[in-house]
Amino acid sequence: MMILMSRRATEEMIQAVIERLRSRGGEFYRYDSSRRTCLEVDLKGAGLDEKEMLLMDGVADIIKLSSPLKLAGRECGRENTVVDVDGVKVGGNEVIVIAGPCAVESSEQIDTIAATVAASGARLIRGGAYKPRTSPYSFQGLGEEGLRMLRVAADAHGLKVVSEVMSIAQIEILDKYAHVIQVGTRNMANYDLLKALGKTDSPILLKRGMGSTIHEWLMAAEYLLSGGNNNVILCERGVRTFDAVKDMILDLSAIPIVKRLSHLPIIADPSHGTGFSNYVSPMARAAVAAGADGLLIEVHPEPENAKSDGPQALLPEQFAELMTECRKIAEAIGRNIADPKAD
């Protein structure tokens, strides 16, 4: 069950309810949104009943949970979550754009890309330092040195850093350099990693598994939330398809579905979702129209020479044009995308 505290409940009232639960040995999860506190608990297991709890000061209502999404779902009436990434708000009115190369290759490369994407309105820069590759002979990333290069370039151009974690051992290193830790499609079901990330307060970008249902994806988010980390951003990156023309399909229907089921912000990755640069811009525009809270776009000045995922990367000038197009779409639906030229 979920105990909904009143919007006017004081911290003293909330603590009184928590102490009552603890005194009976009840296990609970606390969720604090910007407007109210919710406590998920098994009242019967704690030897309590609904009437007893409803009489306590500050308790507005108690609802039974029919969905396994105890924290990621909307059943307790939560408003949309806005994740604060060092001042950049993901999930608010602004559509946040994250752009950059698949992998950090050199300090010169990442600085050049950071300058160009920032000039076009990107708010965060992406770049892999630890690369999960299908082949063990492919470029695996520059590790911590790549993260250092990425952070230097980001700081120089007013951007925030997004980079992928592959193991629990890398969390501490990512925390030193990245503002957002990305969980890639291959690790969406790595529950030990999710549990460890749930114990941090770092914003987490959780990509959908390439063969995962929406329910499985949201349950992966539940692992992060149940650990106490409320800073979760979902990312639709495409799922496997039976089509012989392409092996991935960007599931844009997931955006309105997730928004109905969950309060978490959701962004779209049309680069991985299509695999080819020719298709990235049309799908990015469609994602903004569908209500995505952000975009994750791969950009590289020399895609033909990129060490990973070159075919799906946009040239800087293509990215600039896309930003202009998406800005118009965002305005048409009452949202906005940062425009440095207007400042």
Side-chain angles (χ1 to χ4, degrees):
M1 294 186 176
M2 188 71 74
I3 300 174
L4 274 64
M5 301 301 297
S6 166
R7 289 186 172 86
R8 295 181 293 278
T10 64
E11 182 61 27
E12 183 178 1
M13 293 175 183
I14 296 169
Q15 287 302 318
V17 172
I18 288 174
E19 287 303 315
R20 175 70 63 84
L21 296 173
R22 284 176 175 161
S23 69
R24 302 291 182 88
E27 295 185 1
F28 64 91
Y29 291 114
R30 174 174 176 169
Y31 181 88
D32 292 297
S33 70
S34 60
R35 294 165 65 186
R36 74 160 76 218
T37 293
C38 300
L39 300 168
E40 190 272 318
V41 64
D42 179 359
L43 291 180
K44 292 183 179 178
L48 295 163
D49 60 40
E50 293 183 45
K51 291 181 180 179
E52 180 180 353
M53 298 307 298
L54 282 170
L55 290 173
M56 295 193 69
D57 287 342
V59 175
D61 198 4
I62 295 177
I63 60 173
K64 295 179 180 179
L65 296 173
S66 59
S67 167
L69 298 174
K70 298 177 181 179
L71 299 175
R74 287 194 180 274
E75 285 204 76
C76 75
R78 300 189 187 103
E79 67 276 12
N80 292 337
T81 288
V82 176
V83 177
D84 189 336
V85 180
D86 195 29
V88 177
K89 305 295 179 64
V90 183
N93 194 61
E94 181 182 348
V95 179
I96 302 299
V97 178
I98 307 166
C102 177
V104 179
E105 299 168 6
S106 68
S107 56
E108 294 78 14
Q109 171 243 21
I110 198 63
D111 185 73
T112 297
I113 294 174
T116 57
V117 300
S120 295
R123 302 274 268 155
L124 294 88
I125 184 168
R126 58 150 295 151
Y130 301 101
K131 296 301 301 177
R133 306 301 301 277
T134 301
S135 170
Y137 310 112
S138 299
F139 178 62
Q140 303 290 312
L142 298 178
E144 186 172 0
E145 180 60 15
L147 284 172
R148 186 193 66 78
M149 294 176 184
L150 182 60
R151 182 59 184 264
V152 169
D155 288 347
H157 299 285
L159 300 169
K160 310 304 175 185
V161 170
V162 180
S163 198
E164 184 171 353
V165 65
M166 290 174 55
S167 70
I168 293 174
Q170 294 169 357
I171 294 176
E172 186 175 353
I173 300 173
L174 265 294
D175 264 337
K176 288 171 56 179
Y177 300 98
H179 299 91
V180 179
I181 297 177
Q182 174 183 307
V183 176
T185 185
R186 291 172 175 83
N187 275 311
M188 189 211 79
N190 184 341
Y191 300 120
D192 285 341
L193 178 60
L194 297 180
K195 288 176 183 178
L197 290 168
K199 295 176 182 177
T200 74
D201 58 3
S202 297
I204 307 298
L205 180 65
L206 179 65
K207 285 198 167 187
R208 181 180 181 180
M210 65 181 74
S212 300
T213 65
I214 291 174
H215 173 76
E216 291 166 341
W217 181 24
L218 291 176
M219 288 305 294
E222 196 79 15
Y223 269 91
L224 295 166
L225 295 168
S226 66
N229 190 338
N230 297 322
N231 302 309
V232 179
I233 304 165
L234 300 170
C235 180
E236 165 58 43
R237 54 83 64 210
V239 292
R240 287 198 184 280
T241 176
F242 53 81
D243 199 313
V245 176
K246 58 190 303 295
D247 59 356
M248 291 288 171
I249 185 168
L250 187 65
D251 183 9
L252 290 182
S253 68
I255 295 171
I257 291 172
V258 165
K259 283 184 170 290
R260 179 177 63 83
L261 297 176
S262 176
H263 55 90
L264 297 174
I266 176 173
I267 71 171
D269 177 358
S271 299
H272 282 94
T274 63
F276 295 97
S277 60
N278 289 343
Y279 310 139
V280 171
S281 291
M283 297 309 290
R285 296 193 298 262
V288 174
D293 296 305
L295 297 171
L296 184 63
I297 308 288
E298 289 197 4
V299 179
H300 198 291
E302 298 179 327
E304 67 279 8
N305 295 320
K307 293 186 177 181
S308 60
D309 287 348
Q312 65 195 35
L314 296 182
L315 292 165
E317 55 268 29
Q318 292 175 318
F319 176 70
E321 182 179 0
L322 172 61
M323 290 292 282
T324 298
E325 295 168 345
C326 287
R327 203 168 280 118
K328 294 177 182 177
I329 296 170
E331 290 173 358
I333 59 174
R335 303 186 76 174
N336 66 84
I337 293 177
D339 185 1
K341 297 175 184 177
D343 293 341

